[in-house]
Amino acid sequence: MRRHWFLPQSPDVMRTLGAQADITLAGAIAFEAWACGDLTQEAQVRACEHRADEVRRQLSLQLREAFSTPVDQEDLFTLSERLDAVLNGLKNVVREAESYAIEPDAAVAAMAAEIATGVRHLRTAMVHLDKDGDVATREADAAVTAERRMEKIYRDAMRSLFAADDLREVVVRGEFYRRTLDIGERLTRVADRVWYAVVKEA
């Protein structure tokens, strides 16, 4: 009697990571709308953060079960973790704005637009991570460029803010700006790991 040997099936971890990136992008788009004045989008930002947590847990289980993965398991786990940090940052900004009774202004809206742009590039990088390393790294670089533009927006906003007479406004809004800029730095951390994963697979 002939025996047939089968390798265990591997779950589609790249699809799951892509789903997390999709939700992160949805959260970034909602954050941009919120920053532009639609404060009702706060609920959507929070909902995306909860949905992404579920997908991240699913990915963690898949990585434990997978016999092999197209990209190193540690890199996939770290990319998922750093994407999660982006959405957590978005949620924290809208939550703290509510706590401090402060509304987003033009500077926050401009930074939010760059965040959404950066996440779009990272989403494309995830799609190509196991297919075309050149595209993945090019998109990662574009995300970093978006963060660099955020830095300029931040510096200009802080210079304008320091001219204000209201000390509370300077302190609270300055922290608001810094928290928003921090999301850009989290995008850069995702982009850095894309580069690292591509170099490892080369």
Side-chain angles (χ1 to χ4, degrees):
M1 180 178 178
R2 177 181 293 180
R3 291 186 177 181
H4 295 278
W5 295 93
F6 296 96
L7 292 175
Q9 288 187 340
S10 291
D12 193 345
V13 293
M14 301 308 297
R15 178 187 288 272
T16 306
L17 182 66
Q20 184 181 351
D22 284 340
I23 297 169
T24 305
L25 177 56
I29 291 170
F31 181 79
E32 181 182 7
W34 171 85
C36 289
D38 184 1
L39 301 185
T40 65
Q41 290 296 310
E42 175 188 351
Q44 177 67 6
V45 174
R46 292 174 183 262
C48 287
E49 193 270 337
H50 291 309
R51 286 167 52 205
D53 282 345
E54 291 297 324
V55 175
R56 186 178 173 221
R57 279 191 284 271
Q58 180 185 353
L59 179 63
S60 296
L61 289 172
Q62 289 179 340
L63 290 174
R64 289 171 57 187
E65 297 169 357
F67 178 75
S68 64
T69 54
V71 177
D72 183 82
Q73 289 182 332
E74 181 183 355
D75 293 327
L76 294 174
F77 183 86
T78 302
L79 285 167
S80 176
E81 181 180 52
R82 293 183 182 183
L83 279 174
D84 185 61
V86 171
L87 258 182
N88 284 337
L90 298 173
K91 181 194 69 175
N92 290 341
V93 168
V94 297
R95 183 174 60 189
E96 289 177 12
E98 182 182 27
S99 298
Y100 288 108
I102 187 171
E103 293 188 359
D105 58 11
V108 174
M111 284 192 281
E114 296 297 347
I115 290 168
T117 296
V119 175
R120 283 189 182 92
H121 285 297
L122 291 176
R123 172 66 185 96
T124 304
M126 300 299 169
V127 170
H128 290 89
L129 191 59
D130 63 330
K131 300 179 180 68
D132 191 329
D134 290 339
V135 174
T137 52
R138 185 165 63 245
E139 292 295 322
D141 286 345
V144 173
T145 299
E147 192 275 337
R148 297 291 182 263
R149 291 193 295 265
M150 287 181 67
E151 291 178 0
K152 183 179 185 306
I153 296 166
Y154 171 80
R155 290 193 300 269
D156 291 344
M158 289 300 293
R159 277 194 292 268
S160 298
L161 186 60
F162 285 143
D165 295 328
D166 187 339
L167 180 60
R168 180 186 181 279
E169 176 74 5
V170 172
V171 172
V172 174
R173 192 161 290 277
E175 179 65 12
F176 192 33
Y177 292 158
R178 191 192 67 77
R179 292 277 188 170
T180 307
L181 179 63
D182 178 65
I183 300 167
E185 294 169 357
R186 296 181 188 204
L187 294 179
T188 297
R189 285 174 53 79
V190 181
D192 287 345
R193 194 67 188 202
V194 170
W195 261 99
Y196 181 72
V198 170
V199 168
K200 279 176 65 176
E201 296 297 321

